[in-house]
Amino acid sequence: MSDLPPAAEWPSVRGLLAELPDDALPRAGRFLARLDPAEVLAAHPATPLVSLYVTGHGTLAALRPALTVELARHGLLAAITLADFDAWVRDLADPGSDLYATLGKADGPAFALAVLGPEIVAAELPLPWRADDAARVLDAKIELIEKLAGTFAATANGATLVLNTLPLPRELTAQLLDRRDRAALGAAWREANARLLRLDRPEVAVVDLDPLLAEGVCARDPRQSVYAKAHLTDDLLAAYAREAAHLARQAAGAAKKVLVLDLDETVWGGVLGEVGPEGVEVAEGYRGEAFTRFQRVVRQLGSQGVLVAAVSKNDPGPVAGVLRDHPGMTLRDGDFVQVRANWRPKHDNLAELAADLNLGADSFVFADDSPFERGLVRRELPGVAVVDLTDEPALHVAALLRDGWFDVPRLTSEDLARPARYREEDARRGFLESFDSLDGYLAELGTEVRLAPAAPAQLDRVSQLTLRTNQFNLTTRRLSPAEVRDLAGDPDARVLAIASADRFGEHGLVGAVLLRRDGGVLRVENFLLSCRVFARGIEQAVLGAVLEHARRSAAREVRAAYRRTAKNGRVAGFYPEAGFATVHADEAGAEFRHDLTRPPEPVPHIRLSADFGGQQP
């Protein structure tokens, strides 16, 4: 597209794409695919890069622009390698293949996309054939894929293999005239896809194409399939690319945590100030039922750890009354971590809400039916993801869910408890306001910290912290669940979990320290802490315990690194303030050293228990 900028102006691309309708994205993708990622990185070194190796069965050239534009919509730069035609078995089976060599050189999230279509089965059917012939071919193919996935898991350290379910074309089912045979084919095909879906594990992600097909995406064009060997349509590949981009966004640490809703014509029908509490449309009538459907979906998301808030241009009293008393409401005041009803600009309310929650605004998703409000938020807070709702409430759910903003690789118990724990922060803020000094508040808060090797059930949560924590994340090295498990099993390393509680309740697992022993040197490979709890002394107490452990275990020194990002500048001085000397520093970050000659100062208001699981590391 002529109005999209060159490589030097890459930071503006995300905002421009947000304004484009879906039917303009293919053209934008073709333009962006012509940009050299090296040129973008030369102009903007901090741009998050995702490496994708595309292999599979058939012609897949349409995936390059589709993946490029879908990742760019999330601010991610795609480095795409397109494999030779139909090389997927060789690529995945040979540990010395270009696939593994390419992924091994990746600096950042890396994916192998093995894109498969129904032709991998249809091409191997005998003539004539019956349903049991297809079942045998399906069984052999799934066994092969399972074996290849095992090879990938053992070879591609830290990368993710993306597979997909196989669409069942009517062209195959219609060839069987016996309806029982046709039903047997359908059953065998679905059983094969179920086996694929069960492969979804830390090293493997499976994109289920059935929901995309159910939305009307065409799976196959006979002419493209026969003449160009493109066995999946461009439209289906574009939808697949969107799902792959969601995976890439998670791996790059760009997950969203907060859903902020407008209220009038978003959560309920009508303008509250004009129609009054009795006149809002919800639960009854065709529009009211549409708004109730939307509320149910929001509540479902909230039950899985999404923080739900509201920002509305209304007087606070009537809003509170509707949320508390209206008999048709599904969402109630207790479902929101905050409701901001006032007449101030919404972007100001969003910024203050981010400060209250101690989160970056780039972890927010904002949904509003007003083009004016959406445009203003996009301009003033470009990191906020904006959901374009229209005046048709029946389409609200699809608009909210289309980008999988809150998807996570694994939902943890910490996710489920998150909304309740953020609501507890209101009680802590009220408690703080009763003190004249922060020291007095911290002393009475009664913070307890437990530092210990992460249990197997906690490793997914540790991975999630590396993927989602941006502010107190000293290196921002993103680790998949498989990488965390490998690290936990390394005898020279230690994955330590940080849990905390105070007088208001449990915070749960709020941080992690990753250690490695290298002779007489103990290295802090990363230190992470949830934004919910830092600046309360927990980080200093934990680091003090690590230094004391190093001294007692006869380490000569402790080394630690800081890698600068756009979001972790707040902790740039963390190690020097703890007595570390700078070994070297540049624009990218710094390395520090502590000689262990001076014991760390205790943090008087923290009660800490530390278990390092033995003397080493």
Short mmCIF file of all heavy atoms in Angstrom, two decimals, residues 232-286:
data_model
loop_
_atom_site.label_atom_id
_atom_site.label_comp_id
_atom_site.label_asym_id
_atom_site.label_seq_id
_atom_site.Cartn_x
_atom_site.Cartn_y
_atom_site.Cartn_z
N LEU A 232 -4.86 -25.32 0.20
CA LEU A 232 -5.68 -24.52 1.12
C LEU A 232 -5.82 -23.13 0.51
O LEU A 232 -4.86 -22.57 -0.04
CB LEU A 232 -5.02 -24.43 2.50
CG LEU A 232 -4.78 -25.75 3.23
CD1 LEU A 232 -4.05 -25.50 4.55
CD2 LEU A 232 -6.08 -26.50 3.49
N THR A 233 -7.01 -22.56 0.60
CA THR A 233 -7.26 -21.27 -0.05
C THR A 233 -6.47 -20.15 0.63
O THR A 233 -6.07 -20.24 1.79
CB THR A 233 -8.75 -20.90 0.00
OG1 THR A 233 -9.13 -20.73 1.38
CG2 THR A 233 -9.61 -21.97 -0.65
N ASP A 234 -6.31 -19.05 -0.11
CA ASP A 234 -5.65 -17.88 0.47
C ASP A 234 -6.42 -17.37 1.69
O ASP A 234 -5.81 -16.91 2.66
CB ASP A 234 -5.54 -16.76 -0.58
CG ASP A 234 -4.53 -17.08 -1.67
OD1 ASP A 234 -3.87 -18.14 -1.60
OD2 ASP A 234 -4.39 -16.25 -2.60
N ASP A 235 -7.75 -17.44 1.62
CA ASP A 235 -8.55 -16.97 2.77
C ASP A 235 -8.30 -17.83 4.01
O ASP A 235 -8.20 -17.29 5.13
CB ASP A 235 -10.04 -17.00 2.41
CG ASP A 235 -10.43 -15.89 1.46
OD1 ASP A 235 -9.63 -14.95 1.28
OD2 ASP A 235 -11.54 -15.98 0.87
N LEU A 236 -8.20 -19.14 3.82
CA LEU A 236 -7.94 -20.00 4.97
C LEU A 236 -6.52 -19.79 5.50
O LEU A 236 -6.29 -19.77 6.72
CB LEU A 236 -8.16 -21.47 4.61
CG LEU A 236 -8.01 -22.47 5.78
CD1 LEU A 236 -8.90 -22.08 6.95
CD2 LEU A 236 -8.29 -23.89 5.33
N LEU A 237 -5.55 -19.61 4.60
CA LEU A 237 -4.19 -19.34 5.04
C LEU A 237 -4.11 -18.01 5.80
O LEU A 237 -3.35 -17.87 6.75
CB LEU A 237 -3.24 -19.34 3.85
CG LEU A 237 -2.99 -20.70 3.20
CD1 LEU A 237 -2.06 -20.54 2.00
CD2 LEU A 237 -2.41 -21.69 4.19
N ALA A 238 -4.91 -17.01 5.37
CA ALA A 238 -4.93 -15.74 6.07
C ALA A 238 -5.49 -15.91 7.48
O ALA A 238 -4.99 -15.32 8.46
CB ALA A 238 -5.74 -14.71 5.29
N ALA A 239 -6.57 -16.71 7.60
CA ALA A 239 -7.14 -16.97 8.93
C ALA A 239 -6.17 -17.76 9.79
O ALA A 239 -6.04 -17.51 11.00
CB ALA A 239 -8.47 -17.71 8.78
N TYR A 240 -5.49 -18.72 9.18
CA TYR A 240 -4.46 -19.49 9.90
C TYR A 240 -3.34 -18.56 10.37
O TYR A 240 -2.85 -18.67 11.50
CB TYR A 240 -3.91 -20.57 8.96
CG TYR A 240 -2.66 -21.26 9.46
CD1 TYR A 240 -2.73 -22.43 10.19
CD2 TYR A 240 -1.39 -20.74 9.18
CE1 TYR A 240 -1.58 -23.07 10.63
CE2 TYR A 240 -0.25 -21.36 9.62
CZ TYR A 240 -0.35 -22.53 10.35
OH TYR A 240 0.79 -23.15 10.79
N ALA A 241 -2.92 -17.62 9.51
CA ALA A 241 -1.85 -16.68 9.88
C ALA A 241 -2.25 -15.85 11.08
O ALA A 241 -1.41 -15.53 11.94
CB ALA A 241 -1.51 -15.78 8.69
N ARG A 242 -3.52 -15.48 11.16
CA ARG A 242 -3.98 -14.71 12.33
C ARG A 242 -3.83 -15.54 13.60
O ARG A 242 -3.38 -15.02 14.64
CB ARG A 242 -5.43 -14.28 12.13
CG ARG A 242 -6.01 -13.52 13.31
CD ARG A 242 -7.22 -12.68 12.92
NE ARG A 242 -6.82 -11.58 12.04
CZ ARG A 242 -7.65 -10.65 11.58
NH1 ARG A 242 -8.92 -10.69 11.93
NH2 ARG A 242 -7.21 -9.70 10.81
N GLU A 243 -4.17 -16.81 13.54
CA GLU A 243 -4.01 -17.67 14.71
C GLU A 243 -2.53 -17.84 15.06
O GLU A 243 -2.16 -17.82 16.24
CB GLU A 243 -4.64 -19.05 14.44
CG GLU A 243 -6.13 -19.02 14.16
CD GLU A 243 -6.94 -18.51 15.34
OE1 GLU A 243 -6.66 -18.94 16.48
OE2 GLU A 243 -7.84 -17.68 15.13
N ALA A 244 -1.69 -17.99 14.05
CA ALA A 244 -0.25 -18.12 14.31
C ALA A 244 0.31 -16.84 14.93
O ALA A 244 1.20 -16.88 15.79
CB ALA A 244 0.48 -18.45 13.01
N ALA A 245 -0.20 -15.69 14.50
CA ALA A 245 0.25 -14.42 15.07
C ALA A 245 -0.10 -14.32 16.54
O ALA A 245 0.64 -13.72 17.33
CB ALA A 245 -0.34 -13.25 14.29
N HIS A 246 -1.24 -14.89 16.94
CA HIS A 246 -1.60 -14.89 18.35
C HIS A 246 -0.56 -15.68 19.16
O HIS A 246 -0.18 -15.28 20.26
CB HIS A 246 -2.98 -15.49 18.56
CG HIS A 246 -4.07 -14.75 17.85
ND1 HIS A 246 -5.35 -15.25 17.71
CD2 HIS A 246 -4.09 -13.55 17.22
CE1 HIS A 246 -6.09 -14.39 17.03
NE2 HIS A 246 -5.34 -13.36 16.74
N LEU A 247 -0.11 -16.81 18.60
CA LEU A 247 0.93 -17.60 19.27
C LEU A 247 2.22 -16.80 19.38
O LEU A 247 2.90 -16.82 20.41
CB LEU A 247 1.17 -18.91 18.51
CG LEU A 247 -0.01 -19.87 18.41
CD1 LEU A 247 0.33 -21.02 17.46
CD2 LEU A 247 -0.38 -20.42 19.79
N ALA A 248 2.57 -16.11 18.30
CA ALA A 248 3.80 -15.31 18.30
C ALA A 248 3.71 -14.18 19.32
O ALA A 248 4.69 -13.87 20.02
CB ALA A 248 4.06 -14.76 16.90
N ARG A 249 2.54 -13.55 19.41
CA ARG A 249 2.37 -12.46 20.37
C ARG A 249 2.57 -12.96 21.80
O ARG A 249 3.23 -12.31 22.62
CB ARG A 249 0.97 -11.85 20.22
CG ARG A 249 0.72 -10.64 21.11
CD ARG A 249 -0.72 -10.19 21.00
NE ARG A 249 -1.62 -11.19 21.51
CZ ARG A 249 -2.79 -11.53 20.93
NH1 ARG A 249 -3.19 -10.94 19.83
NH2 ARG A 249 -3.56 -12.45 21.47
N GLN A 250 2.03 -14.13 22.11
CA GLN A 250 2.23 -14.70 23.44
C GLN A 250 3.71 -14.95 23.71
O GLN A 250 4.23 -14.61 24.77
CB GLN A 250 1.46 -16.01 23.56
CG GLN A 250 -0.05 -15.89 23.44
CD GLN A 250 -0.70 -17.24 23.19
OE1 GLN A 250 -0.20 -18.28 23.63
NE2 GLN A 250 -1.79 -17.26 22.44
N ALA A 251 4.40 -15.55 22.73
CA ALA A 251 5.81 -15.89 22.91
C ALA A 251 6.69 -14.66 23.04
O ALA A 251 7.75 -14.70 23.67
CB ALA A 251 6.29 -16.76 21.75
N ALA A 252 6.27 -13.55 22.44
CA ALA A 252 7.04 -12.31 22.49
C ALA A 252 6.76 -11.49 23.74
O ALA A 252 7.30 -10.40 23.92
CB ALA A 252 6.77 -11.47 21.25
N GLY A 253 5.89 -11.99 24.62
CA GLY A 253 5.61 -11.29 25.86
C GLY A 253 4.67 -10.12 25.71
O GLY A 253 4.67 -9.21 26.52
N ALA A 254 3.84 -10.16 24.65
CA ALA A 254 2.93 -9.04 24.40
C ALA A 254 1.49 -9.39 24.79
O ALA A 254 0.54 -8.94 24.14
CB ALA A 254 3.00 -8.62 22.94
N ALA A 255 1.33 -10.20 25.81
CA ALA A 255 -0.01 -10.61 26.23
C ALA A 255 -0.77 -9.44 26.84
O ALA A 255 -0.20 -8.52 27.40
CB ALA A 255 0.08 -11.75 27.24
N LYS A 256 -2.07 -9.49 26.72
CA LYS A 256 -2.95 -8.49 27.32
C LYS A 256 -3.54 -9.05 28.61
O LYS A 256 -3.75 -10.26 28.75
CB LYS A 256 -4.07 -8.12 26.35
CG LYS A 256 -3.58 -7.61 24.99
CD LYS A 256 -2.82 -6.32 25.10
CE LYS A 256 -2.41 -5.80 23.74
NZ LYS A 256 -1.65 -4.53 23.82
N LYS A 257 -3.82 -8.15 29.56
CA LYS A 257 -4.29 -8.58 30.87
C LYS A 257 -5.60 -7.93 31.28
O LYS A 257 -6.30 -8.47 32.14
CB LYS A 257 -3.23 -8.25 31.93
CG LYS A 257 -1.88 -8.89 31.69
CD LYS A 257 -0.85 -8.44 32.71
CE LYS A 257 0.52 -9.02 32.43
NZ LYS A 257 1.54 -8.55 33.39
N VAL A 258 -5.93 -6.79 30.70
CA VAL A 258 -7.07 -6.01 31.18
C VAL A 258 -8.01 -5.72 30.02
O VAL A 258 -7.59 -5.25 28.96
CB VAL A 258 -6.62 -4.67 31.80
CG1 VAL A 258 -7.81 -3.93 32.42
CG2 VAL A 258 -5.53 -4.89 32.84
N LEU A 259 -9.30 -5.99 30.22
CA LEU A 259 -10.34 -5.64 29.26
C LEU A 259 -11.12 -4.46 29.83
O LEU A 259 -11.76 -4.59 30.89
CB LEU A 259 -11.27 -6.83 29.02
CG LEU A 259 -12.52 -6.55 28.17
CD1 LEU A 259 -12.14 -6.05 26.78
CD2 LEU A 259 -13.40 -7.79 28.08
N VAL A 260 -11.06 -3.32 29.15
CA VAL A 260 -11.75 -2.12 29.60
C VAL A 260 -12.93 -1.87 28.67
O VAL A 260 -12.76 -1.77 27.45
CB VAL A 260 -10.81 -0.90 29.61
CG1 VAL A 260 -11.55 0.30 30.20
CG2 VAL A 260 -9.55 -1.19 30.41
N LEU A 261 -14.12 -1.77 29.24
CA LEU A 261 -15.35 -1.66 28.46
C LEU A 261 -16.00 -0.29 28.64
O LEU A 261 -16.07 0.24 29.75
CB LEU A 261 -16.35 -2.72 28.92
CG LEU A 261 -15.92 -4.18 28.83
CD1 LEU A 261 -16.95 -5.07 29.53
CD2 LEU A 261 -15.75 -4.61 27.38
N ASP A 262 -16.45 0.25 27.53
CA ASP A 262 -17.46 1.30 27.60
C ASP A 262 -18.75 0.64 28.11
O ASP A 262 -18.87 -0.60 28.10
CB ASP A 262 -17.64 1.88 26.19
CG ASP A 262 -18.84 2.78 26.08
OD1 ASP A 262 -18.98 3.67 26.93
OD2 ASP A 262 -19.64 2.58 25.14
N LEU A 263 -19.72 1.42 28.54
CA LEU A 263 -20.98 0.85 29.04
C LEU A 263 -22.15 1.10 28.09
O LEU A 263 -22.75 0.15 27.58
CB LEU A 263 -21.29 1.40 30.44
CG LEU A 263 -20.29 0.99 31.54
CD1 LEU A 263 -20.66 1.64 32.87
CD2 LEU A 263 -20.22 -0.52 31.68
N ASP A 264 -22.48 2.36 27.81
CA ASP A 264 -23.62 2.67 26.94
C ASP A 264 -23.39 2.11 25.54
O ASP A 264 -22.36 2.37 24.91
CB ASP A 264 -23.83 4.18 26.84
CG ASP A 264 -24.28 4.80 28.16
OD1 ASP A 264 -24.83 4.06 28.99
OD2 ASP A 264 -24.07 6.02 28.34
N GLU A 265 -24.33 1.33 25.06
CA GLU A 265 -24.30 0.70 23.74
C GLU A 265 -23.16 -0.29 23.56
O GLU A 265 -22.88 -0.73 22.46
CB GLU A 265 -24.25 1.76 22.62
CG GLU A 265 -25.50 2.63 22.53
CD GLU A 265 -26.74 1.85 22.09
OE1 GLU A 265 -26.59 0.70 21.65
OE2 GLU A 265 -27.85 2.38 22.20
N THR A 266 -22.51 -0.64 24.68
CA THR A 266 -21.48 -1.67 24.65
C THR A 266 -21.86 -2.81 25.58
O THR A 266 -22.02 -3.94 25.15
CB THR A 266 -20.11 -1.08 25.05
OG1 THR A 266 -19.70 -0.13 24.07
CG2 THR A 266 -19.05 -2.17 25.16
N VAL A 267 -22.05 -2.49 26.86
CA VAL A 267 -22.48 -3.50 27.83
C VAL A 267 -24.00 -3.59 27.89
O VAL A 267 -24.56 -4.66 28.10
CB VAL A 267 -21.88 -3.17 29.21
CG1 VAL A 267 -22.50 -4.03 30.31
CG2 VAL A 267 -20.36 -3.37 29.18
N TRP A 268 -24.66 -2.45 27.69
CA TRP A 268 -26.12 -2.44 27.62
C TRP A 268 -26.56 -1.52 26.49
O TRP A 268 -25.78 -0.69 26.00
CB TRP A 268 -26.75 -2.02 28.95
CG TRP A 268 -26.29 -0.68 29.47
CD1 TRP A 268 -26.46 0.55 28.89
CD2 TRP A 268 -25.58 -0.42 30.70
NE1 TRP A 268 -25.94 1.55 29.65
CE2 TRP A 268 -25.38 0.98 30.77
CE3 TRP A 268 -25.14 -1.23 31.74
CZ2 TRP A 268 -24.73 1.58 31.84
CZ3 TRP A 268 -24.49 -0.64 32.81
CH2 TRP A 268 -24.29 0.74 32.85
N GLY A 269 -27.79 -1.66 26.08
CA GLY A 269 -28.33 -0.81 25.03
C GLY A 269 -28.88 0.49 25.60
O GLY A 269 -29.45 0.52 26.69
N GLY A 270 -28.71 1.57 24.83
CA GLY A 270 -29.21 2.86 25.27
C GLY A 270 -28.18 3.66 26.03
O GLY A 270 -27.15 3.13 26.47
N VAL A 271 -28.46 4.95 26.14
CA VAL A 271 -27.60 5.87 26.90
C VAL A 271 -28.23 6.07 28.26
O VAL A 271 -29.35 6.61 28.36
CB VAL A 271 -27.44 7.21 26.15
CG1 VAL A 271 -26.61 8.19 26.98
CG2 VAL A 271 -26.80 6.98 24.78
N LEU A 272 -27.56 5.64 29.30
CA LEU A 272 -28.13 5.62 30.64
C LEU A 272 -28.65 7.00 31.06
O LEU A 272 -29.74 7.12 31.65
CB LEU A 272 -27.08 5.11 31.64
CG LEU A 272 -27.49 5.08 33.11
CD1 LEU A 272 -28.71 4.19 33.32
CD2 LEU A 272 -26.33 4.58 33.97
N GLY A 273 -27.90 8.04 30.75
CA GLY A 273 -28.30 9.38 31.16
C GLY A 273 -29.57 9.85 30.49
O GLY A 273 -30.22 10.77 30.98
N GLU A 274 -29.93 9.25 29.37
CA GLU A 274 -31.14 9.65 28.65
C GLU A 274 -32.33 8.75 28.95
O GLU A 274 -33.45 9.23 29.11
CB GLU A 274 -30.85 9.62 27.14
CG GLU A 274 -29.79 10.63 26.69
CD GLU A 274 -29.48 10.52 25.22
OE1 GLU A 274 -30.08 9.64 24.57
OE2 GLU A 274 -28.63 11.29 24.72
N VAL A 275 -32.10 7.44 29.04
CA VAL A 275 -33.23 6.52 29.19
C VAL A 275 -33.45 6.10 30.64
O VAL A 275 -34.50 5.52 30.96
CB VAL A 275 -33.04 5.27 28.31
CG1 VAL A 275 -32.89 5.66 26.85
CG2 VAL A 275 -31.83 4.44 28.76
N GLY A 276 -32.47 6.36 31.52
CA GLY A 276 -32.62 5.96 32.91
C GLY A 276 -32.37 4.48 33.10
O GLY A 276 -32.35 3.70 32.14
N PRO A 277 -32.18 4.03 34.36
CA PRO A 277 -31.89 2.62 34.63
C PRO A 277 -32.95 1.67 34.09
O PRO A 277 -32.63 0.57 33.64
CB PRO A 277 -31.83 2.56 36.17
CG PRO A 277 -31.48 3.95 36.59
CD PRO A 277 -32.15 4.86 35.60
N GLU A 278 -34.24 2.10 34.12
CA GLU A 278 -35.30 1.19 33.66
C GLU A 278 -35.31 1.08 32.13
O GLU A 278 -35.88 0.12 31.59
CB GLU A 278 -36.66 1.69 34.13
CG GLU A 278 -36.85 1.74 35.64
CD GLU A 278 -36.20 2.99 36.25
OE1 GLU A 278 -35.81 3.90 35.47
OE2 GLU A 278 -36.09 3.05 37.49
N GLY A 279 -34.69 2.03 31.44
CA GLY A 279 -34.77 2.03 29.99
C GLY A 279 -33.62 1.37 29.27
O GLY A 279 -33.67 1.23 28.04
N VAL A 280 -32.57 0.96 30.00
CA VAL A 280 -31.46 0.33 29.30
C VAL A 280 -31.90 -1.04 28.78
O VAL A 280 -32.71 -1.74 29.39
CB VAL A 280 -30.23 0.18 30.21
CG1 VAL A 280 -29.73 1.54 30.66
CG2 VAL A 280 -30.50 -0.72 31.40
N GLU A 281 -31.37 -1.40 27.62
CA GLU A 281 -31.74 -2.66 26.97
C GLU A 281 -30.78 -3.76 27.39
O GLU A 281 -29.58 -3.72 27.09
CB GLU A 281 -31.69 -2.49 25.46
CG GLU A 281 -32.71 -1.53 24.90
CD GLU A 281 -32.55 -1.35 23.40
OE1 GLU A 281 -31.63 -0.62 22.98
OE2 GLU A 281 -33.34 -1.95 22.64
N VAL A 282 -31.28 -4.75 28.07
CA VAL A 282 -30.51 -5.90 28.46
C VAL A 282 -31.47 -7.02 28.83
O VAL A 282 -32.55 -6.76 29.38
CB VAL A 282 -29.56 -5.57 29.64
CG1 VAL A 282 -30.34 -5.21 30.89
CG2 VAL A 282 -28.58 -6.69 29.92
N ALA A 283 -31.15 -8.23 28.43
CA ALA A 283 -31.89 -9.45 28.77
C ALA A 283 -33.17 -9.63 27.95
O ALA A 283 -33.46 -10.74 27.50
CB ALA A 283 -32.21 -9.52 30.26
N GLU A 284 -33.95 -8.58 27.73
CA GLU A 284 -35.22 -8.74 27.03
C GLU A 284 -35.18 -8.02 25.68
O GLU A 284 -34.51 -7.00 25.52
CB GLU A 284 -36.35 -8.18 27.90
CG GLU A 284 -36.54 -8.91 29.22
CD GLU A 284 -37.67 -8.32 30.04
OE1 GLU A 284 -38.22 -7.29 29.62
OE2 GLU A 284 -38.00 -8.89 31.09
N GLY A 285 -35.95 -8.56 24.72
CA GLY A 285 -35.96 -7.98 23.38
C GLY A 285 -34.73 -8.45 22.61
O GLY A 285 -33.74 -8.89 23.18
N TYR A 286 -34.78 -8.32 21.29
CA TYR A 286 -33.68 -8.88 20.51
C TYR A 286 -32.36 -8.15 20.76
O TYR A 286 -31.30 -8.78 20.83
CB TYR A 286 -34.03 -8.91 19.03
CG TYR A 286 -34.03 -7.57 18.33
CD1 TYR A 286 -32.89 -7.14 17.64
CD2 TYR A 286 -35.16 -6.75 18.34
CE1 TYR A 286 -32.89 -5.91 17.01
CE2 TYR A 286 -35.15 -5.53 17.70
CZ TYR A 286 -34.02 -5.11 17.03
OH TYR A 286 -34.00 -3.90 16.40
#
